[in-house]
C-alpha cells in the first residue's frame, strides 16, 4: 500500500452506477472521493445488465423511483451525453394458459400506475412474430418500456463527477474502516483516505463493507443472472420487437443491435464475486427460449453473468446507518439499479446531505422511509434470531 493520505468530505465506495451517480450528485456540494477496487468502473454488475427501462417492473418503491427517473432520462443536463439515453422498446409479458392468474395480478397492479394493454394470442403475434404459435394465450403490453444506453449513463455521471472536481481512485479496494468519533479512516489498496461521511455503494459486497464498518446487517443476497447473445434468425426484420418476458420471469428475449439477447432469468444465490455463467443455466435458457419462440439455437455468440443483489423486500436500501455514525447505505439495487439510478441518486444525495427530498420524488407517491436500512435490517435479524 502507498502512503498516500487524502482528506475529503465524503468517500463513496464502489464506482458502479450507484456509486458513480451519488458521487456526481454529492460533488456539486462538497469534496468527494470515489474508491473502486477494479481498474475499470462498471466492471461488475453495471457492465452486465440487459439495459431495460421497465416502469411496471419491481416492487412499489422501485416503480416510483423508475417513474421519477424518466424526466432525467428524457432531458439529461447539457453535456451529460452525446445522444439520447433512451430508445423506445415495448415490453411484452406473456402467459401460457396455466399462468392466467399471474397475468391478471400483474395487469391489476401495473394498470394502477401506467397504461398497459391486455393482448390475445393474435395481438401478441403482431408485436412479437417470433412467438411460437400455441405457446402463450394472453399477454400484457407496456408501451412505456425503453432501452437504456447504460454506458452513456454511467460515463455521463463519471464525467460530471470529474468536472465537479471529484477524485476517482481505481485499484483502491477498501480493506478496513475505522471511526475515531469524528472521521472515518478508510484503508484502501491505493492509500488511506479520511472523511466524516462514507457512502457504501459496493454492490454485491455492500454487506461486507457494512461489516467492516460495524454497521447493521441488511441481509443482502447477491443472485447470479445469466445472459447470452445469439444471431437473429434468418429473415428476421423486426428489430423494434418488444422485449418478451415470461410472466413468472422464467426467461426473456430482446432484440439487441442486430442480435438477440436471451436470459433464463435465473436467481442463483452467490457469494460476492466476478460472476461467470454456468453451463446448466445456458442450457436451461436455450431450452426455454426454443419452447416459447420459433428459434433454433445452434450457436451462442457470447454469454455472461452478473450479480443482482437484493434485501428481503427487494427495495433498494438508501439511508443512514443507525449503528455507526457517518455511514450511508446505497445498496440493494437488485435488478433495477440502472432504470432507477437518476432518481435514486437524487434521493440519496439529498438524504446524505440532510437536505429536503426533491419534489420530483415526492410527486411520485414515494416514501423514502421505506428504503431505510432499518426497514431492511430488522427483517433479517429477526429471521436469524428465530432460527
Ligand atoms: C443480467 C443482468 C441484467 C440486468 N438487467 C437490468 C435492466 O435491464 N435494467 C436495470 O435497471 N437493471 C438491470 N440489472 C441490474 C443492474 O445491473 C444493477 O442493479 C446495477 O448495475 C447495480 O449497480 P451497483 O453500482 O450497485 O453495483 P456494481 O455495478 O456491481 O458496482 C459496485 C462496485 O463496487 C465495487 N466494490 C466492491 N467492493 C469494493 C471494495 N471493497 N472497495 C472498493 N470498491 C468495491 C465493485 O468493484 C463494483 O465496481 C441487471 C443485472 C444483470 C446481472
Amino acid at each position: 500500500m502507498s502512503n498516500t493520505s487524502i482528506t475529503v468530505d465524503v468517500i463513496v465506495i464502489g464506482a458502479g452506477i450507484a456509486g458513480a451517480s451519488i458521487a456526481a450528485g454529492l460533488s456539486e456540494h462538497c469534496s468527494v472521493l470515489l474508491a473502486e477496487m477494479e481498474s475499470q468502473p462498471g466492471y461488475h454488475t453495471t457492465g452486465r445488465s440487459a439495459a431495460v427501462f421497465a416502469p411496471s417492473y419491481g416492487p412499489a418503491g422501485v416503480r416510483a423511483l423508475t417513474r421519477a427517473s424518466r424526466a432525467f432520462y428524457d432531458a439529461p443536463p447539457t453535456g451529460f451525453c452525446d445522444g439520447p439515453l433512451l430508445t423506445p422498446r415495448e415490453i411484452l409479458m406473456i402467459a401460457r394458459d396455466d399462468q392466467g392468474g399471474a397475468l391478471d395480478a400483474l395487469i391489476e397492479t401495473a394498470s394502477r400506475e401506467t397504461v398497459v394493454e391486455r393482448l390475445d394470442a393474435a395481438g401478441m403475434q403482431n408485436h412479437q412474430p417470433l412467438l411460437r404459435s400455441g405457446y402463450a394465450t394472453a399477454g400484457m403490453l407496456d408501451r412505456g418500456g425503453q432501452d437504456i444506453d447504460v454506458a452513456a449513463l454511467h460515463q455521463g455521471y463519471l464525467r460530471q463527477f470529474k468536472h465537479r472536481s471529484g477524485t476517482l481512485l481505481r485499484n483502491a479496494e477498501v480493506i478496513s474502516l475505522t471511526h475515531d468519533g469524528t472521521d472515518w479512516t478508510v484503508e484502501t489498496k491505493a492509500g488511506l483516505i479520511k472523511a466524516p461521511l462514507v457512502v457504501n455503494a459496493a454492490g454485491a459486497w455492500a454487506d461486507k463493507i457494512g461489516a467492516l464498518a460495524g454497521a447493521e446487517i441488511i441481509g443482502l443476497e447477491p443472485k447470479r443472472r445469466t445472459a447470452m447473445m445469439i444471431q437473429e434468425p434468418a429473415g428476421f426484420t423486426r428489430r423494434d420487437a418488444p422485449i418478451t418476458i415470461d410472466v413468472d420471469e422464467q426467461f426473456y428475449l430482446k432484440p439487441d443491435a442486430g442480435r438477440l439477447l436471451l436470459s433464463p432469468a435465473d436467481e442463483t444465490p452467490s457469494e460476492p464475486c466476478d460472476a461467470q455463467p454456468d453451463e446448466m443455466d445456458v442450457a436451461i435458457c436455450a431450452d426455454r427460449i426454443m419452447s416459447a419462440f420459433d428459434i433454433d439455437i445452434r450457436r451462442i455468440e457470447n454469454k455472461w453473468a452478473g450479480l443482482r443483489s437484493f434485501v428481503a423486500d427487494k427495495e433498494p436500501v438508501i439511508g443512514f446507518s443507525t449503528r455507526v455514525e457517518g455511514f450511508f447505505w446505497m445498496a440493494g439495487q437488485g435488478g433495477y439499479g440502472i432504470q432507477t439510478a437518476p432518481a435514486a441518486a437524487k434521493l440519496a444525495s439529498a438524504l446524505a446531505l440532510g437536505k429536503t427530498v426533491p419534489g420530483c420524488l415526492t410527486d411520485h407517491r414515494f416514501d423514502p422511509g421505506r428504503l431505510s436500512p432499518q426497514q431492511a435490517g430488522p427483517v433479517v435479524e429477526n429471521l436469524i434470531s428465530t432460527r
Side-chain angles (χ1 to χ4, degrees):
M1 195 187 79
S2 86
N3 291 323
T4 318
S5 175
I6 306 171
T7 301
V8 286
D9 295 320
V10 188
I11 300 164
V12 177
I13 303 173
I17 194 67
S21 56
I22 187 174
L26 291 171
S27 61
E28 197 179 355
H29 308 280
C30 55
S31 61
V32 183
L33 184 142
L34 182 53
E36 167 55 51
M37 72 175 168
E38 304 290 352
S39 59
Q40 198 53 45
Y43 174 77
H44 288 287
T45 312
T46 295
R48 306 179 191 203
S49 87
V52 179
F53 180 93
S56 48
Y57 187 45
V62 165
R63 298 197 304 273
L65 286 173
T66 304
R67 288 195 301 278
S69 293
R70 185 62 199 256
F72 180 97
Y73 275 116
D74 286 341
T78 309
F80 188 87
C81 47
D82 296 329
L85 290 170
L86 296 182
T87 314
R89 169 80 57 202
E90 291 174 340
I91 298 164
L92 176 62
M93 307 296 300
I94 60 169
R96 297 182 308 266
D97 227 4
D98 59 304
Q99 295 173 301
L103 183 69
D104 291 344
L106 178 68
I107 292 177
E108 228 282 289
T109 312
S111 56
R112 278 189 236 137
E113 296 168 349
T114 181
V115 180
V116 293
E117 250 172 84
R118 178 185 280 275
L119 297 181
D120 60 12
M124 288 190 290
Q125 201 73 38
N126 282 339
H127 287 269
Q128 178 49 278
L130 290 174
L131 207 51
R132 189 177 287 283
S133 166
Y135 178 82
T137 48
M140 180 190 92
L141 187 72
D142 180 349
R143 293 183 194 269
Q146 306 281 325
D147 281 344
I148 306 173
D149 187 337
V150 179
L153 180 74
H154 190 220
Q155 287 306 315
Y157 280 124
L158 290 173
R159 202 176 312 123
Q160 195 177 54
F161 176 62
K162 194 174 165 195
H163 285 161
R164 292 174 175 168
S165 307
T167 307
L168 169 63
L169 211 53
R170 300 165 193 258
N171 303 308
E173 180 179 348
V174 170
I175 44 185
S176 77
L177 293 106
T178 45
H179 198 252
D180 64 8
T182 311
D183 287 330
W184 287 100
T185 298
V186 176
E187 185 187 358
T188 79
K189 287 190 174 169
L192 288 180
I193 318 155
K194 278 177 182 280
L197 177 60
V198 166
V199 175
N200 179 7
W205 290 264
D207 250 343
K208 302 232 178 255
I209 294 291
L212 287 179
E216 54 276 84
I217 302 163
I218 60 166
L220 195 66
E221 273 198 286
K223 294 185 175 175
R224 190 181 65 230
R225 175 154 292 188
T226 311
M228 61 207 74
M229 289 283 195
I230 60 166
Q231 276 188 344
E232 288 171 345
F236 180 73
T237 53
R238 290 287 308 278
R239 291 190 175 164
D240 63 339
I243 178 169
T244 305
I245 310 172
D246 170 68
V247 72
D248 290 320
E249 218 181 331
Q250 293 292 298
F251 58 81
Y252 60 80
L253 171 150
K254 182 181 102 152
D256 188 308
R259 296 186 292 168
L260 298 179
L261 187 157
L262 319 175
S263 174
D266 43 332
E267 292 198 334
T268 311
S270 166
E271 281 297 304
C273 65
D274 185 356
Q276 298 300 321
D278 183 283
E279 283 311 317
M280 183 58 83
D281 293 323
V282 173
I284 289 171
C285 181
D287 186 54
R288 290 179 184 169
I289 292 290
M290 286 195 290
S291 310
F293 301 92
D294 271 324
I295 298 176
D296 186 17
I297 302 177
R298 286 164 185 257
R299 198 170 78 84
I300 287 159
E301 293 202 331
N302 66 315
K303 55 192 176 202
W304 67 93
L307 299 179
R308 300 155 81 245
S309 300
F310 299 91
V311 296
D313 65 5
K314 295 202 156 187
E315 298 280 13
V317 179
I318 300 178
F320 274 106
S321 166
T322 48
R323 290 264 174 93
V324 287
E325 239 181 84
F327 188 87
F328 191 88
W329 289 91
M330 176 73 170
Q333 282 76 4
Y336 335 98
I338 313 292
Q339 64 183 42
T340 54
K346 275 198 185 106
L347 171 69
S349 305
L351 294 177
L353 296 173
K355 292 178 183 283
T356 318
V357 174
C360 60
L361 295 173
T362 43
D363 290 351
H364 287 277
R365 285 171 276 145
F366 181 71
D367 172 15
R370 291 181 60 173
L371 309 187
S372 71
Q374 294 73 54
Q375 285 286 321
V379 177
V380 175
E381 284 171 359
N382 290 343
L383 281 178
I384 291 168
S385 65
T386 54
R387 272 185 198 147

